[in-house]
Every structure is written in C-alpha cells, then in structure tokens.
Amino acid sequence: LERTFSIIKPDATRRNLTGAINAKFEEAGLRIVAQKRIQMTKEQAGVFYGVHKSRPFYDELCEFMSSAPVVVQVLEGENAISKNREIMGATNPADAAPGTIRAEFAESVGENSVHGSDAPETAAVEIAYFFSGLELVG
Ligand code: GTP
Ligand code: MG
C-alpha cells in the first residue's frame, strides 16, 4: 500500500468541512492513518511550498496557509498518491471534475480546500516534515 500526504486547508477548516472532506477520502478507499490539526507560521508554510518560491502567488499562498488551522494527514491505500489527486480535482475549482473535493468545496484557485502530494518523493518529504515515526502507526 502507498502513502500520501494531505492538507485540509484554512478555507475548509474555517467552514467546518473537515468531516465532509474526510468522508470523500474514506469513500474512495483511502485510510486516514495519521492526522492532526495545527496552525503553521508563515515561515513554516514558506518552507513547505518552497518549490513555488519564484511564483507570483507565493506570498499570498503562504499568508493563506498560515491564516487559520489546517489538518495535516497521511492517507494510505492502493495508488494513494494518484487516487488522492483524482478525488481532489484540478487546482482551479472551475476546471475540477464534478464530484471532486475542489469542485464541491473550493472557493478559488488559491483557496482550494486541499493539498495532496504529487509524487512518491514529495510524499516522503512532506510526511516527514509534519509527522515523526512514532505518530505513524499502520
Ligand atoms: P497543491 O496540492 O496544494 O500543491 O495543489 P496543486 O498541486 O494542485 O497546485 P500547485 O502545486 O501548482 O500549486 C500549489 C498551490 O498554490 C495551489 O493548490 C493553490 O493553493 C496555489 N496556487 C496555484 N496557482 C495559483 C494562482 O494562480 N493564484 C493563487 N492565488 N494561488 C495559486
Ligand atoms: Mg502541488
């Protein structure tokens, strides 16, 4: 089984959508094997999204991600990384397929409710950024 890293973003925690989004993961066969609610500093969000440092939306993204609590989680399942990307939907909710999390819940291309790792290497780095080995039970 594969693991991926997920964040329920501030726009979704503000609107009390944690349970509704988790239901989507579980319906799709993804198991939530680790989960906690935290609030990042702008600096911590900046390191997490460091790959986007040179993008025009970077500052806005780091402000947003540190503006309210998020739920960080590890999801496990068959092809968890691609399955999660599929049920998240496209980055811009206007382009997201019907039934996806972003189609149903996202507010804009920036405030788009969820993050999901895009490859095994990034999943490993992202999980290790937020969770210790002791927090990762099967
Ligand atoms: P993540 O799972 O969060 O990484 O989303 P993604 O992989 O679908 O998109 P990408 O990695 O390209 O962008 C990371 C995040 O930056 C997005 O999820 C958005 O929150 C934000 N973002 C991307 N493009 C824009 C944009 O044009 N404007 C703004 N304000 N934010 C953007
Ligand atoms: Mg991405």
Side-chain angles (χ1 to χ4, degrees):
L1 293 181
E2 188 175 63
R3 284 180 172 182
T4 191
F5 176 74
S6 165
I7 303 180
I8 301 178
K9 295 185 178 182
D11 66 286
T13 62
R14 274 197 195 101
R15 288 175 290 149
N16 221 15
L17 292 170
T18 297
I21 290 172
N22 278 346
K24 293 275 199 189
F25 296 141
E26 295 187 336
E27 279 160 22
L30 293 172
R31 183 179 302 276
I32 302 159
V33 296
Q35 168 168 265
K36 58 189 173 186
R37 188 170 182 270
I38 61 165
Q39 183 157 5
M40 281 190 269
T41 64
K42 191 176 174 184
E43 290 67 34
Q44 289 167 334
V47 171
F48 177 74
Y49 273 124
V51 64
H52 295 306
K53 203 168 211 148
S54 60
R55 309 284 283 279
F57 56 81
Y58 179 69
D59 191 68
E60 189 184 324
L61 176 60
C62 298
E63 277 292 344
F64 165 61
M65 290 299 290
S66 57
S67 67
V70 297
V71 176
V72 294
Q73 39 191 200
V74 180
L75 308 178
E76 185 179 84
E78 251 169 63
N79 302 313
I81 295 169
S82 60
K83 182 178 278 182
N84 185 37
R85 298 287 299 185
E86 200 178 302
I87 64 178
M88 286 164 59
T91 309
N92 186 341
D95 303 326
T100 60
I101 292 169
R102 284 166 168 168
E104 287 195 15
F105 302 123
E107 304 202 288
S108 65
V109 65
E111 307 207 358
N112 59 4
S113 302
V114 281
H115 160 82
S117 306
D118 54 16
E121 301 71 37
T122 46
V125 169
E126 292 173 359
I127 289 170
Y129 188 55
F130 290 99
F131 291 97
S132 75
L134 281 175
E135 292 174 305
L136 291 166
V137 294

